[in-house]
């Protein structure tokens, strides 16, 4: 979710304004489009890791965990999961719809590899269909730390509310911790209105660091 998650308050001059009005007096026509939370999950704190171990060990009958470099049989269903990132509130303000076919997934992977970052994907695979139905994506910087970026997480609608997002995010962070000991924290940007994602992040040990607003105003207001 590093790509600045998600909100679509459309709520006019609503929540979040007072915290920063001291820095930027409100022009009359300013409209808050997104209210974002930058969250952090400390991996150098034992209770966070212990709790993630408990969550990751919690069985989810009918599903298995998978970590990759995307294996060929799961590329298509992984792409379909990624398409559901646009279900997030306000996602349309932050990203254009895109086709997540096999070629697009491979191009996306190659682009990250070119940057030198390490792509980490954890997915839940639905055993009876053999499809990836939930996935979470993070990147570890080329230096191996100290902060990993948590990007998108999505679960296809029919498989939501079964704890799959918590499961994959807990397993993901344990794997990052194991493979990249230099990573001391992960950060994620979440739309304040995305209650589901905030609940998942809270469960795996994220806490609020900063808030950010995306605002829109006619040029004449400034
Ligand atoms: C956010 C998302 C990944 C959660 O997946 P999930 O597998 O359903 O999540 P979990 O089952 O692990 O946990 C969901 C928790 O959110 C909370 N929750 C769910 N709906 C809620 C709501 N309407 N209001 C408040 N809390 C809610 C609950 O605490 C729930 O846990 P519970 O089932 O124990 O009650 C999924 O809803 C999704 O794909 N949304 C669209 C994409 C998106 O928003 N991604 C995040 C930004 S990239």
């Amino acid at each position: 979710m590093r790509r600045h998650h998600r909100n679509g308050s459309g709520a006019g001059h609503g929540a979040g304004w007072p915290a920063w009005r001291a820095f930027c007096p409100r022009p009359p026509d300013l409209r808050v489009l997104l209210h974002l939370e930058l969250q952090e999950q400390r991996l150098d704190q034992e209770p966070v890791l212990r709790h993630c171990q408990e969550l990751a060990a919690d069985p989810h009958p009918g599903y298995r965990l998978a970590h990759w470099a995307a294996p060929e049989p799961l590329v298509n269903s992984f792409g379909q999961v990624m398409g559901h990132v646009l279900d997030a509130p306000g996602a349309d303000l932050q990203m254009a719809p895109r086709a997540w076919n096999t070629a697009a997934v491979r191009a996306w992977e190659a682009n990250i590899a070119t940057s030198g970052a390490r792509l980490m994907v954890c997915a839940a695979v639905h055993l009876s269909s053999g499809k990836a139905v939930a996935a979470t994506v993070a990147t570890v910087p080329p230096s191996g730390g100290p902060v990993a970026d948590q990007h998108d997480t999505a679960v296809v609608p029919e498989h939501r509310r079964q704890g799959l997002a918590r499961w994959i995010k807990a397993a993901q962070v344990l794997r990052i911790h194991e493979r990249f000991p230099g990573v001391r924290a992960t950060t994620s940007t979440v739309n304040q209105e995305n209650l589901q994602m905030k609940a998942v992040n809270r469960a795996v040990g994220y806490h609020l660091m900063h808030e950010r607003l995306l605002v829109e105003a006619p040029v004449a207001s400034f």
Side-chain angles (χ1 to χ4, degrees), residues 7-18 20-21 23-36 93-94 211-219 221-222:
N7 193 357
S9 88
H13 304 143
W17 188 268
W20 60 286
R21 65 189 305 175
F23 303 100
C24 182
R26 183 172 69 194
D29 298 328
L30 201 64
R31 190 162 75 93
V32 175
L33 297 179
L34 291 174
H35 188 153
L36 305 170
L93 290 170
Q94 298 176 277
E211 295 180 44
R212 191 164 65 217
L213 301 180
L214 173 66
V215 299
E216 178 186 69
V219 174
S221 297
F222 289 97

Side-chain angles (χ1 to χ4, degrees), residues 1 5-6 84-85 87-89 151-156 159-167 194-197 199-200:
M1 289 195 228
H5 275 194
R6 311 225 122 87
H84 283 286
V85 168
D87 297 349
H151 302 268
D152 297 315
T153 300
V155 178
V156 301
H159 296 271
R160 289 180 188 162
R161 300 301 300 268
Q162 299 184 67
L164 293 182
R166 265 171 306 195
W167 194 39
N194 197 336
L195 301 180
Q196 294 92 322
M197 198 66 245
V200 170

Side-chain angles (χ1 to χ4, degrees), residues 71-191:
E72 211 52 46
L74 293 176
V75 176
N76 271 328
S77 53
F78 169 65
Q80 282 163 17
V81 175
M82 292 298 279
H84 283 286
V85 168
L86 281 168
D87 297 349
D92 55 326
L93 290 170
Q94 298 176 277
M95 62 184 76
R98 58 188 285 192
W100 276 100
N101 54 23
T102 300
V105 171
R106 293 303 185 210
W108 170 78
E109 290 171 335
N111 194 34
I112 293 172
T114 304
S115 77
R118 286 294 301 273
L119 173 64
M120 303 292 289
V121 176
C122 181
V125 179
H126 184 228
L127 294 177
S128 57
S129 66
K131 291 183 174 176
V133 295
T136 189
V137 175
T139 52
V140 175
S143 59
V147 178
D149 287 325
Q150 170 63 45
H151 302 268
D152 297 315
T153 300
V155 178
V156 301
E158 314 83 272
H159 296 271
R160 289 180 188 162
R161 300 301 300 268
Q162 299 184 67
L164 293 182
R166 265 171 306 195
W167 194 39
I168 57 177
K169 287 196 78 165
Q172 167 91 307
V173 79
L174 293 174
R175 192 151 187 265
I176 290 173
H177 180 62
E178 183 188 299
R179 296 185 60 170
F180 300 96
V183 173
R184 293 204 295 274
T186 68
T187 57
S188 175
T189 306
V190 185
N191 184 317

